[in-house]
Amino acid sequence: MDFKYTEEQEAMRAVARKFAEKEIAPVAGQYDEKDEFPTEIIRKLHEVGLLTIGVPEEYGGPGLDPITQALIAEEISFGDGGTGTTVVASNLLAANPVFVGGNDDQKRRFYSVLNEGKLAAFCLTEPGAGSDAVSMSTTARREGDYYILNGTKQFISNGGVADIFTVFATTDRSLRHKGIIAFMVDTHTPGVTIGKKENKLGIRTSDTRQIIFEDVKVPVANRLGEEGEGWTICMKSLDISRPYIAAMAVGIAQAAYEAAVKYAKERIAFGKPIATFQAIQFMLADMAMGIEASRLFVHKACFLREQGLPFTQMASFAKAFAGDTAMKVTLDAVQILGGYGYVKEYPVEKFMRDAKIMQIYEGTNQIQRVVIANNILR
């Protein structure tokens, strides 16, 4: 085992942390308050090479290893969880079905969109099919050289700002998972309607929408894999992306922890800094332990994947543990700041709001426990 980062990993992490501290964190609260997508930040991320972290080298990207990708996801989310969501949802979620099931031509077409600084979105969840995704009702009907898509997708990250979607539909609902099929869909295709932006509790800088497909013609050449392979592609894609959601949770927790430590050293009560009180010290110690354990889960999941070893269970370990840790750490940070933690003048209330989604999207933490239990008992 080697817990030391390579020189490249350290360099990329430093670039991402500097960007988060200088470009994201100072304005994240303003974007959050206005419920505004940070277009300028996304443009700058592309300029410094942090927007295409999931693009393989052979398709014009940086070709970063999984741990480097996780480090960057963590640091961007340290600056703002919503911006981290935008990057991860595009590069390390929406791109995964193409990475897993796409042919060379499809990969070149998809990654060329990302290399231009544009975004992608992963369209799986529906109004009536969240955790039970196999019950999706979006249909794909074959007509010659096209499929006709009809249905509605819900809570789609990057839905209103993406130029390309990866979409899951069913050819026959009675076939359950065996009827699911995956596609690349240009968002400008006739029949694609972008719904209203959701007014969310947290990650308000992330654009979340409902997407409606009405008789959308998708070329057969845009189908990823064969008919019936969509569910396998979907599950493999989520396995790959879950450690990066965990990395985002670590970034949010780290930001809350650092804010709490700084405040505890400066806040005077009963004539001395509150950091001298054991009650505060124990909270900070628990925060530090939880964050480090979460980070180790993330890196082990990434390591196993890079080694070509089974990593599904470790990915679920990472996602569930880090998501729960982020929620606890941010809640404790608010508690340490007391009344100041509850007002928007300080960032910890935003960290708390941003952290909650880490327990929900990419498979709720309850679903992660189902995955883990199934692996244990198989």
Side-chain angles (χ1 to χ4, degrees), residues 176-198:
R176 300 286 286 170
H177 66 278
K178 293 182 180 180
I180 293 174
I181 190 168
F183 300 95
M184 301 189 310
V185 179
D186 187 320
T187 63
H188 307 290
T189 306
V192 176
T193 301
I194 310 299
K196 69 176 181 67
K197 184 179 179 182
E198 299 290 354

Side-chain angles (χ1 to χ4, degrees), residues 356-376:
K356 184 58 195 173
I357 194 65
M358 301 296 152
Q359 296 178 303
I360 299 173
Y361 64 7
E362 295 276 339
T364 66
N365 282 6
Q366 287 69 39
I367 288 294
Q368 302 316 309
R369 286 164 169 84
V370 170
V371 172
I372 292 165
N374 285 342
N375 275 276
I376 291 170

